[in-house]
Amino acid sequence: MAGQEQIRPQRRDDEPDDAPEPVAPTVQNRDAEVDALLDEIDDVLESNAEQFVRGFVQKGGQ
Amino acid sequence: MRRVMGIETEYGILQPGRPLANPMLLSSHVVAVHAAARDGARGKARWDYDDEDPLHDARGFHLQRASAHPSLLTDDPAAPAPSGDGPQELPRSAVEEYEDPGAANVILTNGARLYVDHAHPEYSSPEVTNPLDAVLWDRAGEQVMLQSVRGLASNPALPDVALYKNNVDGKGATYGTHENYLVDRAVPFTDLAARLIPFFVTRQVFTGAGRVGLGQRGERAGFQLSQRADYVEAEIGLETTLRRPIVNTRDEPHADPDRWRRLHVIVGDATMLEAATYVRLGTTSLVLWLLERQVADGGSGGALAALDRLALRDPVAAVQQVSHDLTLTARLDLADGRTLTALEVQRGYLEAVRTAVAHVGDEVDEQTADVLRRWESLLDRLGSDPATCAREVEWLAKLRLLEGMRRRDRLEWDHPRLAAVDLQWSDLRPERGLYHRLVGAGAVELLVTPEQVARAVVRPPEDTRAYFRGEAVSRYGGEITAASWDSVVFDVPGSSTLQRVPMRDPLRGTRAHVGDLLDASPDASALLAALGS
C-alpha cells in the first residue's frame, strides 16, 4: 500500500492491540457511533463478501 | 442563484445470484415497470430524437459519424429540427415503428427521462433552477429506481434486480453521473474549459464519494477520494466512454444554441449524501457564474485574473494525485511553477467567487449565501479536522465506517468485506443499502424530507419547461406520441397530422407561463388550440 496515508495516526507495532489509547471525548463518541453502525452493517452486509464482490460486474457506461 | 441544471445518473444493475444476466435486458425491465404504469392509446411515448446531436463538439466542429466510436452515436438519423414558435405539423409514419426493447424510454410525470443507456438504466432529472431542487429531483430518481426494484420483485415472471447508485464495479468498468448546467454561450469555450479544469481536479476533496481500490481495475489495495478519478485520461475531449476528459466538449444545448451552452460534466461521482450533491451542484454553479462575468458588464473585479494563476501543469495526473491522497496535503504543480494543495486551489476559487460577488454588489440570495458558507466551512474543517465533515462529505462518511471495520476486525485494504461495504453502500433498498443505515442512525445531514421526495417522484419542478413536459404527460399522456427535452409531440384522434410543440427555452413552459392554460384544457385538442392561437 505504498503512497496510502490515513487520516488517523498509524498504530505502532509495539503497542499492545487491546490497550486503550487516550482519546478525546468527541472522538470516543464518534467511535461509539461507528461501532453501533458496524453492528447494524454486520446484520445486512452480504454474507459471502467475496462472492458478492466477484459477482458485481458491470458494463462500461458513460 | 438561478441556473438551469440537472443530473443524469447511470445506475449499476445486478440480478442477484445471476452474475451473467444480460444487463441491457435487465435495464429494459427496470424502465418497463414505469412504462406499464403509463396509460396510453398507442403505448408509451417515444423519445423525440430530432434534436439529439452527440457528435457536435464545443470546439466548433462535428465529429464525422464514420470516425465516431459507436458508443457516441446516441441519436437516430432524423429530420432537421423544425423552427418557429407554435405547434408544427408532422406526418404520421406510414407504418407502425418497431420498438427496440433496448431503446426503452419513458418520460415521467415529474418531467424526467427514464431509459436504457449502454447497459444501465438511467434517470435523467427534470431541469431545475437551483441546487436544492437538483438534490430533490435526484432523490426522486432513486425512488423511481427503487419502485422498479420493488415492481420486479413482486412479479415472479420477471427477474429480480438490485440497483446501485455508484460509478465503478471495481474491475474496470465505470459508468457516469453527469451534471448539466446551462451557461451563457458568449463565454468562449476555451476560456471556460481552462478555468474549470483546476476546479474539477480539486473539488473531489468535498465531492468525492470514496472508493475502495486504486487503479482502473482496482489492482492496488487502498482507498481514494473519488470513484471516477482513475478513469480520467484527457483534459478536454468529446468522448464519454473511453479517454474520458476532465472537460467534456459535447455541444447539445437542447435550447437556443445562440444563447446557451449546456456544459456536460462527466467527472463527478454519484453521491447518496444530500449535502454532498448540494455542494457539488452549488459550488460548480457559482464558479460558472464567475466565469460568465468575462462577458458581463462590469467584469469580475480582478477575480478572473486571480483564477488564471491556478492553472495546473498536469491536470490529468493531478486528478489521481488528489484522489489518492487521504491527508489532503499533497502539493500540486501549477503551470507557473508554484505548488498548492487541492484545498488551497479550492480556496482560490472560493475567494475569486467572493471577490466577484462583492464587486457586482447585488444582494445575494439565500441559497447562494448558504453554498458559500458551506464551501468555506468545508474547506476550513477539511484542513483541520476532516472527521467532522463525515455528515456532509461522502468519502469521509464511507472511510469512517471502513476504518472502524479495519480496526475492529484487523482487515487489510484488500479484504473483500471492505470492497463489499463500498459496493453495498449505494444499494437503493433501504433494508440493504449501507448509506440507509447511516440515515437511520442520524449520522448524515438531510436536506429534503421523504414527503418532498415522494411529491417530486410524480410532480415536476414548477420553474422550468419540465413543468410543461411533466404535466402534459400526466394530463394528456394517452395523446402524446413522443417527447424530448425541447419538444412534445401530440397525436390527437381525428387530426390528419401530428402536432409538435417546441420548447426551446428551458425557462418557459413553467407553471407561471402555462399553468392556467393546462388547467383550462381538458384534453390535448383544447391545449393545442390554445397554443396555436
Side-chain angles (χ1 to χ4, degrees):
Chain A
M1 292 171 279
Q4 278 291 290
E5 299 178 37
Q6 307 307 326
I7 56 171
R8 299 180 190 206
Q10 294 280 10
R11 174 178 278 134
R12 297 199 311 271
D13 288 340
D14 57 323
E15 275 183 16
D17 282 342
D18 50 2
E21 293 177 331
V23 289
T26 49
V27 177
Q28 269 175 332
N29 288 340
R30 290 183 213 155
D31 284 350
E33 188 182 41
V34 170
D35 286 340
L37 283 166
L38 290 177
D39 286 341
E40 285 192 53
I41 284 168
D42 286 342
D43 288 339
V44 300
L45 190 64
E46 288 281 342
S47 44
N48 189 335
E50 195 177 336
Q51 192 177 60
F52 169 57
V53 171
R54 209 175 36 238
F56 194 102
V57 177
Q58 300 294 309
K59 292 276 192 288
Q62 300 193 57
Chain B
M1 142 154 42
R2 190 160 174 266
R3 176 187 305 282
V4 177
M5 59 182 74
I7 307 174
E8 16 167 346
T9 306
E10 294 176 319
Y11 282 76
I13 183 164
L14 287 183
Q15 182 177 4
R18 306 269 320 270
L20 300 179
N22 182 316
M24 274 194 70
L25 189 55
L26 293 179
S27 298
S28 69
H29 286 308
V30 167
V31 174
V33 167
H34 288 274
R38 178 64 23 80
D39 297 328
R42 278 180 47 137
K44 54 194 182 293
R46 287 187 314 105
W47 188 253
D48 182 11
Y49 279 97
D50 275 5
D51 286 343
E52 300 277 314
D53 197 5
L55 302 184
H56 189 239
D57 190 302
R59 291 167 291 185
F61 54 85
H62 268 85
L63 187 60
Q64 287 298 315
R65 210 169 176 84
S67 358
H69 192 274
S71 63
L72 271 171
L73 302 175
T74 53
D75 61 333
D76 277 339
S83 59
D85 294 332
Q88 294 119 19
E89 294 185 338
L90 294 178
R92 284 202 180 80
S93 302
V95 294
E96 187 84 355
E97 294 179 25
Y98 170 67
E99 303 247 8
D100 179 353
N105 241 308
V106 180
I107 304 100
L108 302 174
T109 61
N110 68 356
R113 183 187 177 199
L114 178 67
Y115 58 114
V116 177
D117 190 6
H118 292 104
H120 296 270
E122 179 160 342
Y123 170 89
S124 206
S125 81
E127 303 93 321
V128 297
T129 62
N130 61 81
L132 189 58
D133 281 351
V135 170
L136 183 54
W137 269 277
D138 182 50
R139 290 272 292 111
E142 296 169 19
Q143 289 306 115
V144 167
M145 291 293 184
L146 181 60
Q147 285 173 355
S148 290
V149 171
R150 302 301 197 207
L152 292 173
S154 70
N155 186 333
L158 292 174
D160 288 357
V161 302
L163 293 176
Y164 300 84
K165 193 187 183 194
N166 77 337
N167 302 110
V168 303
D169 68 357
K171 299 160 188 70
T174 183
Y175 33 102
T177 297
H178 300 165
E179 299 139 63
N180 294 280
Y181 305 88
L182 233 55
V183 179
D184 189 336
R185 190 82 180 186
V187 180
F189 185 78
T190 45
D191 295 333
L192 189 70
R195 289 170 171 156
L196 282 172
I197 284 173
F199 176 72
F200 286 148
V201 167
T202 55
R203 69 175 195 175
Q204 310 174 56
V205 295
F206 55 80
T207 64
R211 183 186 153 210
V212 170
L214 309 176
Q216 291 195 353
R217 283 165 291 107
E219 62 269 25
R220 298 195 310 284
F223 183 82
Q224 60 177 306
L225 305 192
S226 165
Q227 296 246 313
R228 293 277 272 179
D230 289 347
Y231 303 92
V232 173
E233 296 177 341
E235 284 182 44
I236 302 182
L238 188 60
E239 289 94 340
T240 55
T241 57
L242 66 163
R243 287 192 296 275
R244 292 177 179 86
I246 298 171
V247 175
N248 182 239
T249 56
R250 174 176 296 176
D251 192 3
E252 267 187 302
H254 298 308
D256 181 352
D258 292 330
R259 287 185 62 201
W260 299 114
R261 175 183 310 289
R262 176 174 62 103
L263 181 70
H264 182 243
V265 179
I266 70 169
V267 290
D269 292 346
T271 43
M272 302 296 292
L273 268 69
E274 296 175 11
T277 306
Y278 178 67
V279 293
R280 179 165 92 255
L281 278 279
T283 57
T284 304
S285 183
L286 284 180
V287 170
L288 290 171
W289 171 84
L290 169 59
L291 301 189
E292 285 169 331
R293 298 308 304 169
Q294 181 183 3
V295 296
D297 288 340
S300 70
L304 287 171
L307 220 54
D308 288 336
R309 292 197 286 277
L310 297 173
L312 299 168
R313 188 182 57 77
D314 186 346
V316 175
V319 172
Q320 282 105 46
Q321 195 184 353
V322 172
S323 186
H324 295 185
D325 168 40
L326 305 186
T327 69
L328 308 179
T329 58
R331 304 197 69 79
L332 310 176
D333 293 328
L334 266 56
D336 67 3
R338 296 179 299 146
T339 63
L340 288 178
T341 67
L343 288 175
E344 287 167 338
V345 172
Q346 277 296 312
R347 198 168 286 279
Y349 276 87
L350 169 58
E351 303 288 331
V353 170
R354 283 199 188 281
T355 297
V357 165
H359 173 75
V360 169
D362 289 344
E363 199 174 309
V364 157
D365 68 84
E366 200 181 304
Q367 267 193 54
T368 300
D370 187 51
V371 171
L372 286 170
R373 249 191 324 265
R374 285 171 180 268
W375 195 0
E376 173 140 33
S377 173
L378 282 168
L379 294 180
D380 286 344
R381 286 178 290 130
L382 287 168
S384 59
D385 191 3
T388 60
C389 300
R391 295 174 60 79
E392 309 136 82
V393 176
E394 188 138 334
W395 69 266
L396 277 163
K398 218 182 248 185
L399 183 61
R400 194 170 163 241
L401 285 188
L402 291 166
E403 285 289 17
M405 192 173 275
R406 273 164 45 80
R407 186 178 59 237
R408 188 189 70 175
D409 304 336
R410 306 181 208 293
L411 303 177
E412 300 293 345
W413 275 114
D414 59 359
H415 197 285
R417 278 182 69 219
L418 301 179
V421 166
D422 188 14
L423 294 172
Q424 200 171 327
W425 173 269
S426 67
D427 189 322
L428 293 186
R429 295 167 292 181
E431 69 276 12
R432 306 278 306 171
L434 302 186
Y435 165 74
H436 290 289
R437 302 268 77 73
L438 271 70
V439 173
V444 293
E445 185 181 2
L446 300 177
L447 302 181
V448 295
T449 66
E451 293 73 33
Q452 288 173 315
V453 174
R455 219 179 117 85
V457 168
V458 289
R459 302 297 304 276
E462 295 190 348
D463 54 0
T464 67
R465 64 187 173 192
Y467 182 76
F468 180 80
R469 180 188 318 120
E471 288 293 317
V473 167
S474 175
R475 298 166 192 247
Y476 321 114
E479 295 167 286
I480 293 176
T481 182
S484 71
W485 298 115
D486 55 4
S487 72
V488 179
V489 183
F490 292 91
D491 183 358
V492 175
S495 175
S496 57
T497 61
L498 305 175
Q499 298 283 326
R500 184 174 189 270
V501 177
M503 298 184 292
R504 290 301 256 174
D505 188 341
L507 289 169
R508 294 190 66 79
T510 66
R511 183 171 177 195
H513 289 131
V514 300
D516 291 344
L517 196 71
L518 290 167
D519 287 342
S521 303
D523 56 31
S525 298
L527 176 72
L528 291 165
L531 286 174
S533 61

PDB file of all heavy atoms in Angstrom, chain B residues 411-433:
ATOM      1  N   LEU B 411      -8.512  -5.768   9.425  1.00  0.00           N
ATOM      2  CA  LEU B 411      -8.549  -6.081   7.993  1.00  0.00           C
ATOM      3  C   LEU B 411      -7.587  -5.204   7.210  1.00  0.00           C
ATOM      4  O   LEU B 411      -7.448  -4.013   7.486  1.00  0.00           O
ATOM      5  CB  LEU B 411      -9.973  -5.851   7.445  1.00  0.00           C
ATOM      6  CG  LEU B 411     -11.105  -6.619   8.126  1.00  0.00           C
ATOM      7  CD1 LEU B 411     -12.436  -6.234   7.514  1.00  0.00           C
ATOM      8  CD2 LEU B 411     -10.877  -8.119   8.034  1.00  0.00           C
ATOM      9  N   GLU B 412      -6.916  -5.796   6.227  1.00  0.00           N
ATOM     10  CA  GLU B 412      -6.126  -5.011   5.282  1.00  0.00           C
ATOM     11  C   GLU B 412      -7.059  -4.473   4.195  1.00  0.00           C
ATOM     12  O   GLU B 412      -8.156  -5.000   3.988  1.00  0.00           O
ATOM     13  CB  GLU B 412      -5.031  -5.877   4.649  1.00  0.00           C
ATOM     14  CG  GLU B 412      -4.041  -6.482   5.634  1.00  0.00           C
ATOM     15  CD  GLU B 412      -3.170  -5.425   6.304  1.00  0.00           C
ATOM     16  OE1 GLU B 412      -3.130  -4.277   5.802  1.00  0.00           O
ATOM     17  OE2 GLU B 412      -2.551  -5.734   7.333  1.00  0.00           O
ATOM     18  N   TRP B 413      -6.567  -3.479   3.427  1.00  0.00           N
ATOM     19  CA  TRP B 413      -7.422  -2.864   2.423  1.00  0.00           C
ATOM     20  C   TRP B 413      -7.862  -3.804   1.310  1.00  0.00           C
ATOM     21  O   TRP B 413      -8.831  -3.505   0.597  1.00  0.00           O
ATOM     22  CB  TRP B 413      -6.732  -1.641   1.816  1.00  0.00           C
ATOM     23  CG  TRP B 413      -6.925  -0.389   2.626  1.00  0.00           C
ATOM     24  CD1 TRP B 413      -5.960   0.305   3.287  1.00  0.00           C
ATOM     25  CD2 TRP B 413      -8.160   0.300   2.873  1.00  0.00           C
ATOM     26  NE1 TRP B 413      -6.508   1.398   3.930  1.00  0.00           N
ATOM     27  CE2 TRP B 413      -7.857   1.411   3.703  1.00  0.00           C
ATOM     28  CE3 TRP B 413      -9.488   0.084   2.499  1.00  0.00           C
ATOM     29  CZ2 TRP B 413      -8.836   2.325   4.142  1.00  0.00           C
ATOM     30  CZ3 TRP B 413     -10.464   0.989   2.936  1.00  0.00           C
ATOM     31  CH2 TRP B 413     -10.135   2.079   3.745  1.00  0.00           C
ATOM     32  N   ASP B 414      -7.151  -4.947   1.140  1.00  0.00           N
ATOM     33  CA  ASP B 414      -7.557  -5.856   0.072  1.00  0.00           C
ATOM     34  C   ASP B 414      -8.584  -6.885   0.536  1.00  0.00           C
ATOM     35  O   ASP B 414      -8.925  -7.797  -0.213  1.00  0.00           O
ATOM     36  CB  ASP B 414      -6.337  -6.547  -0.536  1.00  0.00           C
ATOM     37  CG  ASP B 414      -5.554  -7.345   0.496  1.00  0.00           C
ATOM     38  OD1 ASP B 414      -5.957  -7.347   1.685  1.00  0.00           O
ATOM     39  OD2 ASP B 414      -4.541  -7.969   0.114  1.00  0.00           O
ATOM     40  N   HIS B 415      -9.088  -6.756   1.784  1.00  0.00           N
ATOM     41  CA  HIS B 415     -10.067  -7.728   2.270  1.00  0.00           C
ATOM     42  C   HIS B 415     -11.407  -7.520   1.560  1.00  0.00           C
ATOM     43  O   HIS B 415     -11.890  -6.385   1.469  1.00  0.00           O
ATOM     44  CB  HIS B 415     -10.232  -7.599   3.782  1.00  0.00           C
ATOM     45  CG  HIS B 415     -10.887  -8.793   4.396  1.00  0.00           C
ATOM     46  ND1 HIS B 415     -12.243  -9.046   4.291  1.00  0.00           N
ATOM     47  CD2 HIS B 415     -10.366  -9.832   5.100  1.00  0.00           C
ATOM     48  CE1 HIS B 415     -12.514 -10.175   4.920  1.00  0.00           C
ATOM     49  NE2 HIS B 415     -11.397 -10.673   5.412  1.00  0.00           N
ATOM     50  N   PRO B 416     -12.033  -8.609   1.081  1.00  0.00           N
ATOM     51  CA  PRO B 416     -13.282  -8.456   0.324  1.00  0.00           C
ATOM     52  C   PRO B 416     -14.411  -7.795   1.106  1.00  0.00           C
ATOM     53  O   PRO B 416     -15.292  -7.180   0.497  1.00  0.00           O
ATOM     54  CB  PRO B 416     -13.663  -9.883  -0.089  1.00  0.00           C
ATOM     55  CG  PRO B 416     -12.704 -10.796   0.581  1.00  0.00           C
ATOM     56  CD  PRO B 416     -11.542 -10.004   1.063  1.00  0.00           C
ATOM     57  N   ARG B 417     -14.395  -7.892   2.454  1.00  0.00           N
ATOM     58  CA  ARG B 417     -15.503  -7.261   3.185  1.00  0.00           C
ATOM     59  C   ARG B 417     -15.486  -5.752   3.025  1.00  0.00           C
ATOM     60  O   ARG B 417     -16.526  -5.106   3.041  1.00  0.00           O
ATOM     61  CB  ARG B 417     -15.463  -7.645   4.661  1.00  0.00           C
ATOM     62  CG  ARG B 417     -16.105  -9.020   4.863  1.00  0.00           C
ATOM     63  CD  ARG B 417     -16.160  -9.479   6.279  1.00  0.00           C
ATOM     64  NE  ARG B 417     -17.092  -8.699   7.064  1.00  0.00           N
ATOM     65  CZ  ARG B 417     -16.849  -8.344   8.330  1.00  0.00           C
ATOM     66  NH1 ARG B 417     -15.713  -8.669   8.907  1.00  0.00           N
ATOM     67  NH2 ARG B 417     -17.741  -7.668   8.993  1.00  0.00           N
ATOM     68  N   LEU B 418     -14.303  -5.183   2.870  1.00  0.00           N
ATOM     69  CA  LEU B 418     -14.232  -3.732   2.683  1.00  0.00           C
ATOM     70  C   LEU B 418     -14.771  -3.353   1.299  1.00  0.00           C
ATOM     71  O   LEU B 418     -15.505  -2.374   1.151  1.00  0.00           O
ATOM     72  CB  LEU B 418     -12.793  -3.237   2.857  1.00  0.00           C
ATOM     73  CG  LEU B 418     -12.173  -3.544   4.217  1.00  0.00           C
ATOM     74  CD1 LEU B 418     -10.733  -3.029   4.273  1.00  0.00           C
ATOM     75  CD2 LEU B 418     -12.994  -2.940   5.347  1.00  0.00           C
ATOM     76  N   ALA B 419     -14.418  -4.138   0.308  1.00  0.00           N
ATOM     77  CA  ALA B 419     -14.963  -3.892  -1.038  1.00  0.00           C
ATOM     78  C   ALA B 419     -16.475  -4.081  -1.036  1.00  0.00           C
ATOM     79  O   ALA B 419     -17.201  -3.344  -1.709  1.00  0.00           O
ATOM     80  CB  ALA B 419     -14.315  -4.835  -2.045  1.00  0.00           C
ATOM     81  N   ALA B 420     -16.945  -5.057  -0.273  1.00  0.00           N
ATOM     82  CA  ALA B 420     -18.390  -5.300  -0.201  1.00  0.00           C
ATOM     83  C   ALA B 420     -19.108  -4.108   0.435  1.00  0.00           C
ATOM     84  O   ALA B 420     -20.196  -3.734  -0.002  1.00  0.00           O
ATOM     85  CB  ALA B 420     -18.680  -6.581   0.592  1.00  0.00           C
ATOM     86  N   VAL B 421     -18.495  -3.531   1.463  1.00  0.00           N
ATOM     87  CA  VAL B 421     -19.085  -2.331   2.090  1.00  0.00           C
ATOM     88  C   VAL B 421     -19.199  -1.210   1.061  1.00  0.00           C
ATOM     89  O   VAL B 421     -20.229  -0.538   0.951  1.00  0.00           O
ATOM     90  CB  VAL B 421     -18.246  -1.879   3.302  1.00  0.00           C
ATOM     91  CG1 VAL B 421     -18.631  -0.472   3.750  1.00  0.00           C
ATOM     92  CG2 VAL B 421     -18.411  -2.861   4.465  1.00  0.00           C
ATOM     93  N   ASP B 422     -18.129  -1.016   0.284  1.00  0.00           N
ATOM     94  CA  ASP B 422     -18.111   0.050  -0.725  1.00  0.00           C
ATOM     95  C   ASP B 422     -19.224  -0.147  -1.751  1.00  0.00           C
ATOM     96  O   ASP B 422     -19.889   0.805  -2.158  1.00  0.00           O
ATOM     97  CB  ASP B 422     -16.738   0.043  -1.424  1.00  0.00           C
ATOM     98  CG  ASP B 422     -16.530   1.232  -2.351  1.00  0.00           C
ATOM     99  OD1 ASP B 422     -17.306   2.203  -2.272  1.00  0.00           O
ATOM    100  OD2 ASP B 422     -15.585   1.182  -3.157  1.00  0.00           O
ATOM    101  N   LEU B 423     -19.458  -1.402  -2.156  1.00  0.00           N
ATOM    102  CA  LEU B 423     -20.479  -1.669  -3.171  1.00  0.00           C
ATOM    103  C   LEU B 423     -21.889  -1.608  -2.590  1.00  0.00           C
ATOM    104  O   LEU B 423     -22.782  -0.987  -3.168  1.00  0.00           O
ATOM    105  CB  LEU B 423     -20.229  -3.042  -3.802  1.00  0.00           C
ATOM    106  CG  LEU B 423     -18.943  -3.148  -4.623  1.00  0.00           C
ATOM    107  CD1 LEU B 423     -18.697  -4.594  -5.044  1.00  0.00           C
ATOM    108  CD2 LEU B 423     -18.988  -2.244  -5.849  1.00  0.00           C
ATOM    109  N   GLN B 424     -22.067  -2.222  -1.422  1.00  0.00           N
ATOM    110  CA  GLN B 424     -23.412  -2.272  -0.849  1.00  0.00           C
ATOM    111  C   GLN B 424     -23.820  -0.923  -0.259  1.00  0.00           C
ATOM    112  O   GLN B 424     -24.985  -0.700   0.060  1.00  0.00           O
ATOM    113  CB  GLN B 424     -23.498  -3.378   0.207  1.00  0.00           C
ATOM    114  CG  GLN B 424     -24.937  -3.789   0.461  1.00  0.00           C
ATOM    115  CD  GLN B 424     -25.040  -5.016   1.340  1.00  0.00           C
ATOM    116  OE1 GLN B 424     -24.176  -5.898   1.291  1.00  0.00           O
ATOM    117  NE2 GLN B 424     -26.076  -5.081   2.133  1.00  0.00           N
ATOM    118  N   TRP B 425     -22.869  -0.031  -0.140  1.00  0.00           N
ATOM    119  CA  TRP B 425     -23.124   1.333   0.339  1.00  0.00           C
ATOM    120  C   TRP B 425     -24.298   1.961  -0.400  1.00  0.00           C
ATOM    121  O   TRP B 425     -25.173   2.582   0.194  1.00  0.00           O
ATOM    122  CB  TRP B 425     -21.866   2.168   0.107  1.00  0.00           C
ATOM    123  CG  TRP B 425     -21.993   3.620   0.379  1.00  0.00           C
ATOM    124  CD1 TRP B 425     -22.345   4.597  -0.498  1.00  0.00           C
ATOM    125  CD2 TRP B 425     -21.746   4.277   1.627  1.00  0.00           C
ATOM    126  NE1 TRP B 425     -22.336   5.822   0.126  1.00  0.00           N
ATOM    127  CE2 TRP B 425     -21.969   5.653   1.432  1.00  0.00           C
ATOM    128  CE3 TRP B 425     -21.363   3.832   2.892  1.00  0.00           C
ATOM    129  CZ2 TRP B 425     -21.814   6.591   2.444  1.00  0.00           C
ATOM    130  CZ3 TRP B 425     -21.204   4.774   3.899  1.00  0.00           C
ATOM    131  CH2 TRP B 425     -21.437   6.135   3.672  1.00  0.00           C
ATOM    132  N   SER B 426     -24.313   1.780  -1.743  1.00  0.00           N
ATOM    133  CA  SER B 426     -25.259   2.520  -2.575  1.00  0.00           C
ATOM    134  C   SER B 426     -26.414   1.664  -3.083  1.00  0.00           C
ATOM    135  O   SER B 426     -27.105   2.058  -4.022  1.00  0.00           O
ATOM    136  CB  SER B 426     -24.518   3.136  -3.770  1.00  0.00           C
ATOM    137  OG  SER B 426     -24.067   2.113  -4.632  1.00  0.00           O
ATOM    138  N   ASP B 427     -26.611   0.487  -2.477  1.00  0.00           N
ATOM    139  CA  ASP B 427     -27.798  -0.326  -2.791  1.00  0.00           C
ATOM    140  C   ASP B 427     -29.023   0.512  -2.444  1.00  0.00           C
ATOM    141  O   ASP B 427     -29.130   1.042  -1.336  1.00  0.00           O
ATOM    142  CB  ASP B 427     -27.757  -1.613  -1.966  1.00  0.00           C
ATOM    143  CG  ASP B 427     -28.829  -2.635  -2.375  1.00  0.00           C
ATOM    144  OD1 ASP B 427     -29.968  -2.227  -2.695  1.00  0.00           O
ATOM    145  OD2 ASP B 427     -28.531  -3.839  -2.341  1.00  0.00           O
ATOM    146  N   LEU B 428     -29.944   0.660  -3.418  1.00  0.00           N
ATOM    147  CA  LEU B 428     -31.069   1.563  -3.206  1.00  0.00           C
ATOM    148  C   LEU B 428     -32.073   1.068  -2.171  1.00  0.00           C
ATOM    149  O   LEU B 428     -32.877   1.842  -1.656  1.00  0.00           O
ATOM    150  CB  LEU B 428     -31.811   1.808  -4.527  1.00  0.00           C
ATOM    151  CG  LEU B 428     -31.058   2.576  -5.598  1.00  0.00           C
ATOM    152  CD1 LEU B 428     -31.984   2.856  -6.785  1.00  0.00           C
ATOM    153  CD2 LEU B 428     -30.489   3.879  -5.047  1.00  0.00           C
ATOM    154  N   ARG B 429     -32.083  -0.245  -1.892  1.00  0.00           N
ATOM    155  CA  ARG B 429     -33.085  -0.779  -0.974  1.00  0.00           C
ATOM    156  C   ARG B 429     -32.750  -0.347   0.464  1.00  0.00           C
ATOM    157  O   ARG B 429     -31.665  -0.629   0.959  1.00  0.00           O
ATOM    158  CB  ARG B 429     -33.117  -2.308  -1.063  1.00  0.00           C
ATOM    159  CG  ARG B 429     -33.573  -2.810  -2.425  1.00  0.00           C
ATOM    160  CD  ARG B 429     -33.296  -4.306  -2.606  1.00  0.00           C
ATOM    161  NE  ARG B 429     -31.884  -4.609  -2.675  1.00  0.00           N
ATOM    162  CZ  ARG B 429     -31.392  -5.829  -2.846  1.00  0.00           C
ATOM    163  NH1 ARG B 429     -32.238  -6.860  -2.958  1.00  0.00           N
ATOM    164  NH2 ARG B 429     -30.095  -6.036  -2.900  1.00  0.00           N
ATOM    165  N   PRO B 430     -33.667   0.350   1.138  1.00  0.00           N
ATOM    166  CA  PRO B 430     -33.375   0.824   2.492  1.00  0.00           C
ATOM    167  C   PRO B 430     -33.008  -0.305   3.451  1.00  0.00           C
ATOM    168  O   PRO B 430     -32.255  -0.073   4.398  1.00  0.00           O
ATOM    169  CB  PRO B 430     -34.673   1.502   2.925  1.00  0.00           C
ATOM    170  CG  PRO B 430     -35.362   1.856   1.651  1.00  0.00           C
ATOM    171  CD  PRO B 430     -34.976   0.807   0.660  1.00  0.00           C
ATOM    172  N   GLU B 431     -33.525  -1.525   3.193  1.00  0.00           N
ATOM    173  CA  GLU B 431     -33.227  -2.615   4.121  1.00  0.00           C
ATOM    174  C   GLU B 431     -31.853  -3.234   3.864  1.00  0.00           C
ATOM    175  O   GLU B 431     -31.364  -4.018   4.670  1.00  0.00           O
ATOM    176  CB  GLU B 431     -34.327  -3.690   4.053  1.00  0.00           C
ATOM    177  CG  GLU B 431     -34.389  -4.496   2.763  1.00  0.00           C
ATOM    178  CD  GLU B 431     -35.171  -3.813   1.643  1.00  0.00           C
ATOM    179  OE1 GLU B 431     -35.480  -2.599   1.770  1.00  0.00           O
ATOM    180  OE2 GLU B 431     -35.483  -4.490   0.644  1.00  0.00           O
ATOM    181  N   ARG B 432     -31.236  -2.881   2.729  1.00  0.00           N
ATOM    182  CA  ARG B 432     -29.913  -3.445   2.385  1.00  0.00           C
ATOM    183  C   ARG B 432     -28.827  -2.387   2.303  1.00  0.00           C
ATOM    184  O   ARG B 432     -27.688  -2.631   2.648  1.00  0.00           O
ATOM    185  CB  ARG B 432     -29.978  -4.118   0.999  1.00  0.00           C
ATOM    186  CG  ARG B 432     -31.045  -5.151   0.828  1.00  0.00           C
ATOM    187  CD  ARG B 432     -30.670  -6.495   1.366  1.00  0.00           C
ATOM    188  NE  ARG B 432     -29.423  -6.989   0.834  1.00  0.00           N
ATOM    189  CZ  ARG B 432     -28.807  -8.073   1.282  1.00  0.00           C
ATOM    190  NH1 ARG B 432     -29.335  -8.755   2.279  1.00  0.00           N
ATOM    191  NH2 ARG B 432     -27.690  -8.479   0.744  1.00  0.00           N
ATOM    192  N   GLY B 433     -29.167  -1.202   1.770  1.00  0.00           N
ATOM    193  CA  GLY B 433     -28.163  -0.193   1.492  1.00  0.00           C
ATOM    194  C   GLY B 433     -27.499   0.322   2.759  1.00  0.00           C
ATOM    195  O   GLY B 433     -28.171   0.694   3.722  1.00  0.00           O
TER     196      GLY B 433
END
